[in-house]
Short mmCIF file of all heavy atoms in Angstrom, two decimals:
data_model
loop_
_atom_site.label_atom_id
_atom_site.label_comp_id
_atom_site.label_asym_id
_atom_site.label_seq_id
_atom_site.Cartn_x
_atom_site.Cartn_y
_atom_site.Cartn_z
N GLU A 74 92.12 110.85 124.86
CA GLU A 74 92.65 110.43 123.56
C GLU A 74 94.15 110.72 123.52
O GLU A 74 94.58 111.86 123.38
CB GLU A 74 91.93 111.17 122.42
CG GLU A 74 92.52 110.92 121.04
CD GLU A 74 92.73 109.44 120.74
OE1 GLU A 74 91.77 108.66 120.94
OE2 GLU A 74 93.84 109.08 120.32
N PRO A 75 94.97 109.67 123.63
CA PRO A 75 96.42 109.86 123.66
C PRO A 75 97.00 110.57 122.44
O PRO A 75 98.03 111.24 122.54
CB PRO A 75 96.96 108.43 123.78
CG PRO A 75 95.86 107.67 124.43
CD PRO A 75 94.59 108.27 123.90
N MET A 76 96.34 110.43 121.28
CA MET A 76 96.90 111.05 120.07
C MET A 76 96.89 112.57 120.12
O MET A 76 97.52 113.22 119.29
CB MET A 76 96.12 110.57 118.83
CG MET A 76 96.33 109.11 118.51
SD MET A 76 98.06 108.72 118.16
CE MET A 76 98.05 106.96 118.53
N LEU A 77 96.19 113.15 121.08
CA LEU A 77 96.20 114.60 121.25
C LEU A 77 97.48 115.09 121.93
O LEU A 77 97.76 116.29 121.94
CB LEU A 77 95.00 115.05 122.08
CG LEU A 77 93.62 114.92 121.43
CD1 LEU A 77 92.53 115.26 122.44
CD2 LEU A 77 93.50 115.82 120.21
N GLN A 78 98.24 114.17 122.50
CA GLN A 78 99.43 114.53 123.26
C GLN A 78 100.63 114.76 122.34
O GLN A 78 101.05 113.84 121.64
CB GLN A 78 99.76 113.44 124.28
CG GLN A 78 98.67 113.17 125.28
CD GLN A 78 98.43 114.35 126.19
OE1 GLN A 78 99.36 114.99 126.66
NE2 GLN A 78 97.16 114.66 126.44
N PRO A 79 101.20 115.97 122.34
CA PRO A 79 102.33 116.23 121.43
C PRO A 79 103.59 115.43 121.75
O PRO A 79 104.44 115.25 120.87
CB PRO A 79 102.58 117.74 121.61
CG PRO A 79 101.97 118.08 122.92
CD PRO A 79 100.80 117.16 123.09
N ASP A 80 103.70 114.95 122.98
CA ASP A 80 104.90 114.20 123.38
C ASP A 80 104.68 112.69 123.39
O ASP A 80 105.48 111.96 123.98
CB ASP A 80 105.36 114.65 124.78
CG ASP A 80 105.79 116.10 124.81
OD1 ASP A 80 106.34 116.57 123.79
OD2 ASP A 80 105.56 116.77 125.83
N LEU A 81 103.63 112.23 122.72
CA LEU A 81 103.32 110.80 122.76
C LEU A 81 104.44 109.95 122.16
O LEU A 81 104.80 108.91 122.72
CB LEU A 81 102.01 110.52 122.03
CG LEU A 81 101.57 109.05 121.98
CD1 LEU A 81 101.30 108.51 123.38
CD2 LEU A 81 100.34 108.87 121.09
N VAL A 82 105.00 110.37 121.04
CA VAL A 82 106.02 109.55 120.37
C VAL A 82 107.24 109.33 121.27
O VAL A 82 107.64 108.17 121.48
CB VAL A 82 106.42 110.17 119.01
CG1 VAL A 82 107.68 109.50 118.46
CG2 VAL A 82 105.28 110.01 118.01
N PRO A 83 107.88 110.37 121.82
CA PRO A 83 109.01 110.09 122.71
C PRO A 83 108.62 109.34 123.98
O PRO A 83 109.43 108.58 124.52
CB PRO A 83 109.57 111.48 123.03
CG PRO A 83 108.49 112.45 122.69
CD PRO A 83 107.71 111.81 121.58
N PHE A 84 107.40 109.52 124.44
CA PHE A 84 106.92 108.80 125.62
C PHE A 84 106.86 107.30 125.33
O PHE A 84 107.35 106.48 126.13
CB PHE A 84 105.55 109.34 126.01
CG PHE A 84 105.00 108.80 127.30
CD1 PHE A 84 105.54 109.20 128.52
CD2 PHE A 84 103.93 107.91 127.30
CE1 PHE A 84 105.02 108.72 129.72
CE2 PHE A 84 103.41 107.43 128.49
CZ PHE A 84 103.95 107.83 129.71
N VAL A 85 106.29 106.93 124.19
CA VAL A 85 106.21 105.52 123.81
C VAL A 85 107.61 104.96 123.56
O VAL A 85 107.93 103.83 123.96
CB VAL A 85 105.31 105.33 122.57
CG1 VAL A 85 105.38 103.89 122.05
CG2 VAL A 85 103.86 105.69 122.91
N GLU A 86 108.45 105.75 122.90
CA GLU A 86 109.83 105.31 122.66
C GLU A 86 110.53 104.97 123.97
O GLU A 86 111.22 103.95 124.08
CB GLU A 86 110.61 106.44 121.97
CG GLU A 86 110.65 106.32 120.47
CD GLU A 86 111.51 107.42 119.85
OE1 GLU A 86 111.56 108.53 120.41
OE2 GLU A 86 112.10 107.15 118.79
N ARG A 87 110.36 105.81 124.97
CA ARG A 87 111.03 105.60 126.25
C ARG A 87 110.50 104.36 126.96
O ARG A 87 111.27 103.61 127.57
CB ARG A 87 110.85 106.83 127.14
CG ARG A 87 111.68 106.78 128.42
CD ARG A 87 111.62 108.08 129.18
NE ARG A 87 112.29 107.96 130.46
CZ ARG A 87 112.29 108.90 131.40
NH1 ARG A 87 111.66 110.05 131.18
NH2 ARG A 87 112.92 108.71 132.55
N ILE A 88 109.19 104.11 126.86
CA ILE A 88 108.61 102.91 127.45
C ILE A 88 109.23 101.66 126.84
O ILE A 88 109.66 100.74 127.54
CB ILE A 88 107.08 102.90 127.26
CG1 ILE A 88 106.42 103.95 128.16
CG2 ILE A 88 106.50 101.51 127.56
CD1 ILE A 88 104.95 104.18 127.85
N ARG A 89 109.30 101.64 125.51
CA ARG A 89 109.81 100.45 124.83
C ARG A 89 111.30 100.26 125.07
O ARG A 89 111.78 99.14 125.23
CB ARG A 89 109.50 100.54 123.34
CG ARG A 89 108.00 100.64 123.03
CD ARG A 89 107.72 100.60 121.55
NE ARG A 89 107.72 99.24 121.05
CZ ARG A 89 108.04 98.91 119.80
NH1 ARG A 89 108.44 99.84 118.95
NH2 ARG A 89 107.99 97.66 119.41
N LYS A 90 112.06 101.37 125.11
CA LYS A 90 113.49 101.27 125.39
C LYS A 90 113.77 100.84 126.83
O LYS A 90 114.85 100.32 127.13
CB LYS A 90 114.17 102.60 125.10
CG LYS A 90 114.32 102.89 123.61
CD LYS A 90 114.97 104.24 123.35
CE LYS A 90 115.11 104.49 121.84
NZ LYS A 90 115.68 105.84 121.57
N SER A 91 112.78 101.03 127.70
CA SER A 91 112.91 100.59 129.09
C SER A 91 112.64 99.10 129.25
O SER A 91 112.74 98.56 130.35
CB SER A 91 111.96 101.39 129.99
OG SER A 91 112.27 102.76 129.99
N GLY A 92 112.25 98.44 128.15
CA GLY A 92 112.04 97.00 128.18
C GLY A 92 110.61 96.56 128.36
O GLY A 92 110.34 95.38 128.61
N PHE A 93 109.65 97.49 128.19
CA PHE A 93 108.24 97.16 128.34
C PHE A 93 107.54 97.21 126.99
O PHE A 93 107.91 98.00 126.10
CB PHE A 93 107.55 98.14 129.30
CG PHE A 93 108.07 98.07 130.71
CD1 PHE A 93 109.13 98.86 131.11
CD2 PHE A 93 107.50 97.19 131.62
CE1 PHE A 93 109.62 98.79 132.41
CE2 PHE A 93 107.98 97.13 132.93
CZ PHE A 93 109.05 97.92 133.32
N LEU A 94 106.51 96.40 126.83
CA LEU A 94 105.64 96.50 125.68
C LEU A 94 104.76 97.74 125.83
O LEU A 94 104.41 98.13 126.94
CB LEU A 94 104.75 95.26 125.56
CG LEU A 94 105.47 93.92 125.42
CD1 LEU A 94 104.47 92.77 125.54
CD2 LEU A 94 106.22 93.84 124.10
N ALA A 95 104.39 98.35 124.70
CA ALA A 95 103.55 99.54 124.73
C ALA A 95 102.27 99.31 123.93
O ALA A 95 102.33 98.96 122.74
CB ALA A 95 104.29 100.75 124.17
N LYS A 96 101.14 99.48 124.60
CA LYS A 96 99.83 99.41 123.94
C LYS A 96 99.20 100.80 124.01
O LYS A 96 99.12 101.40 125.08
CB LYS A 96 98.91 98.40 124.63
CG LYS A 96 97.49 98.34 124.06
CD LYS A 96 96.69 97.23 124.74
CE LYS A 96 95.28 97.12 124.19
NZ LYS A 96 94.37 98.09 124.81
N VAL A 97 98.78 101.30 122.86
CA VAL A 97 98.17 102.63 122.80
C VAL A 97 96.71 102.48 122.42
O VAL A 97 96.38 101.90 121.38
CB VAL A 97 98.89 103.53 121.76
CG1 VAL A 97 98.25 104.91 121.73
CG2 VAL A 97 100.38 103.63 122.07
N ASP A 98 95.83 102.99 123.28
CA ASP A 98 94.40 103.01 122.99
C ASP A 98 94.06 104.31 122.26
O ASP A 98 94.59 105.38 122.60
CB ASP A 98 93.58 102.93 124.27
CG ASP A 98 93.65 101.56 124.92
OD1 ASP A 98 94.10 100.60 124.25
OD2 ASP A 98 93.25 101.44 126.10
N SER A 99 93.17 104.23 121.27
CA SER A 99 92.84 105.43 120.49
C SER A 99 91.45 105.32 119.91
O SER A 99 90.95 104.22 119.65
CB SER A 99 93.86 105.61 119.35
OG SER A 99 93.52 106.73 118.54
N ASN A 100 90.83 106.48 119.67
CA ASN A 100 89.55 106.47 118.96
C ASN A 100 89.76 106.41 117.45
O ASN A 100 88.79 106.32 116.69
CB ASN A 100 88.69 107.68 119.36
CG ASN A 100 89.32 109.03 119.04
OD1 ASN A 100 90.03 109.19 118.05
ND2 ASN A 100 89.06 110.01 119.89
N GLY A 101 91.00 106.50 117.00
CA GLY A 101 91.31 106.26 115.59
C GLY A 101 91.08 107.42 114.66
O GLY A 101 91.24 107.27 113.44
N THR A 102 90.75 108.60 115.17
CA THR A 102 90.38 109.71 114.28
C THR A 102 91.56 110.55 113.83
O THR A 102 91.38 111.56 113.15
CB THR A 102 89.33 110.62 114.97
OG1 THR A 102 89.87 111.13 116.19
CG2 THR A 102 88.06 109.84 115.26
N PHE A 103 92.78 110.15 114.20
CA PHE A 103 93.98 110.89 113.81
C PHE A 103 94.96 109.96 113.07
O PHE A 103 96.05 109.67 113.57
CB PHE A 103 94.67 111.48 115.03
CG PHE A 103 93.86 112.50 115.77
CD1 PHE A 103 93.19 112.14 116.94
CD2 PHE A 103 93.73 113.80 115.31
CE1 PHE A 103 92.43 113.07 117.64
CE2 PHE A 103 92.97 114.74 115.99
CZ PHE A 103 92.32 114.37 117.16
N PRO A 104 94.61 109.50 111.88
CA PRO A 104 95.48 108.53 111.19
C PRO A 104 96.88 109.08 110.90
O PRO A 104 97.86 108.33 110.93
CB PRO A 104 94.73 108.22 109.89
CG PRO A 104 93.74 109.33 109.72
CD PRO A 104 93.38 109.76 111.10
N GLY A 105 97.00 110.37 110.62
CA GLY A 105 98.32 110.93 110.36
C GLY A 105 99.24 110.82 111.57
O GLY A 105 100.42 110.49 111.44
N ARG A 106 98.70 111.07 112.74
CA ARG A 106 99.50 110.97 113.97
C ARG A 106 99.81 109.51 114.30
O ARG A 106 100.90 109.21 114.80
CB ARG A 106 98.75 111.64 115.13
CG ARG A 106 98.51 113.13 114.88
CD ARG A 106 97.79 113.79 116.04
NE ARG A 106 97.32 115.11 115.65
CZ ARG A 106 96.74 115.98 116.47
NH1 ARG A 106 96.56 115.66 117.75
NH2 ARG A 106 96.35 117.16 116.03
N VAL A 107 98.87 108.64 114.01
CA VAL A 107 99.12 107.21 114.21
C VAL A 107 100.25 106.75 113.29
O VAL A 107 101.15 106.00 113.71
CB VAL A 107 97.84 106.39 113.97
CG1 VAL A 107 98.16 104.89 113.93
CG2 VAL A 107 96.81 106.68 115.05
N LYS A 108 100.23 107.20 112.05
CA LYS A 108 101.29 106.83 111.10
C LYS A 108 102.65 107.28 111.62
O LYS A 108 103.64 106.52 111.59
CB LYS A 108 101.00 107.45 109.74
CG LYS A 108 101.99 107.04 108.66
CD LYS A 108 101.58 107.62 107.30
CE LYS A 108 102.51 107.15 106.20
NZ LYS A 108 102.08 107.67 104.87
N THR A 109 102.72 108.50 112.14
CA THR A 109 103.98 109.00 112.70
C THR A 109 104.44 108.16 113.87
O THR A 109 105.62 107.81 113.99
CB THR A 109 103.83 110.47 113.13
OG1 THR A 109 103.51 111.27 111.98
CG2 THR A 109 105.11 111.00 113.76
N LEU A 110 103.50 107.84 114.76
CA LEU A 110 103.83 107.01 115.92
C LEU A 110 104.39 105.66 115.48
O LEU A 110 105.45 105.23 115.97
CB LEU A 110 102.59 106.80 116.78
CG LEU A 110 102.72 105.77 117.91
CD1 LEU A 110 103.64 106.28 119.00
CD2 LEU A 110 101.34 105.42 118.49
N LEU A 111 103.69 105.00 114.56
CA LEU A 111 104.10 103.65 114.15
C LEU A 111 105.43 103.66 113.41
O LEU A 111 106.21 102.73 113.53
CB LEU A 111 103.00 103.01 113.29
CG LEU A 111 101.66 102.76 114.01
CD1 LEU A 111 100.64 102.20 113.04
CD2 LEU A 111 101.85 101.81 115.19
N HIS A 112 105.71 104.71 112.64
CA HIS A 112 106.93 104.77 111.85
C HIS A 112 108.12 105.28 112.66
O HIS A 112 109.27 105.13 112.24
CB HIS A 112 106.72 105.65 110.62
CG HIS A 112 105.86 105.01 109.57
ND1 HIS A 112 105.69 105.54 108.31
CD2 HIS A 112 105.12 103.89 109.60
CE1 HIS A 112 104.89 104.76 107.61
NE2 HIS A 112 104.52 103.75 108.37
#
Side-chain angles (χ1 to χ4, degrees):
E74 173 50 50
M76 292 299 157
L77 291 174
Q78 300 294 317
D80 296 327
L81 179 63
V82 168
F84 186 72
V85 172
E86 265 183 328
R87 188 173 174 186
I88 289 170
R89 301 185 82 209
K90 286 178 180 177
S91 297
F93 295 90
L94 300 171
K96 176 175 181 277
V97 181
D98 289 346
S99 177
N100 61 34
T102 59
F103 296 101
R106 299 181 193 185
V107 170
K108 184 176 183 178
T109 298
L110 171 69
L111 295 177
H112 287 189

